[in-house]
Amino acid sequence: MQWLLTTLFGTVSAAKVDLIHRALRKLGHVVAYALLSWLALRAARATAHEHSGNPARWKWRWAALALGLVLFTSSSDELLQSYSKERTGTYRDVALDCFGAILAQGVLLVAARRKR
């Protein structure tokens, strides 16, 4: 990564490279689990639409299912990482993952209300 930053911005200290690397990894947690949350809501909505014909765009029940899936997936992933010598599992990453999921659901709720 340092070669890319050096190519783009000139001389970059190792400390700055480390800071950027950490920030990108944490941003990856937020984005990945926001995407998982959005996809889970879409899956719940599609299943409900198949069974009831309900064209709703967002429901609390679907959001709760999506958030539960994110919490389970994130917790499981971090637990597995805690058993690895190369990785560490932390509750902070679970919190970041859940933040991303809640952020996605908030955006979806606002978008659904605007379409009404």
Side-chain angles (χ1 to χ4, degrees), residues 36-58:
L36 176 61
S37 180
W38 173 65
L39 291 172
L41 182 114
R42 284 185 51 121
R45 183 179 71 205
T47 301
H49 184 67
E50 269 181 24
H51 295 311
S52 69
N54 186 353
R57 306 213 39 72
W58 192 92

Side-chain angles (χ1 to χ4, degrees), residues 3-66:
W3 68 267
L4 176 63
L5 293 173
T6 303
T7 302
L8 294 174
F9 305 111
T11 304
V12 180
S13 69
K16 194 167 274 192
V17 170
D18 186 50
L19 177 67
I20 292 169
H21 184 251
R22 286 183 189 193
L24 288 174
R25 283 183 31 219
K26 298 309 176 188
L27 180 63
H29 274 272
V30 173
V31 171
Y33 282 91
L35 182 60
L36 176 61
S37 180
W38 173 65
L39 291 172
L41 182 114
R42 284 185 51 121
R45 183 179 71 205
T47 301
H49 184 67
E50 269 181 24
H51 295 311
S52 69
N54 186 353
R57 306 213 39 72
W58 192 92
K59 286 191 174 186
W60 287 105
R61 177 178 49 218
W62 301 340
L65 284 169

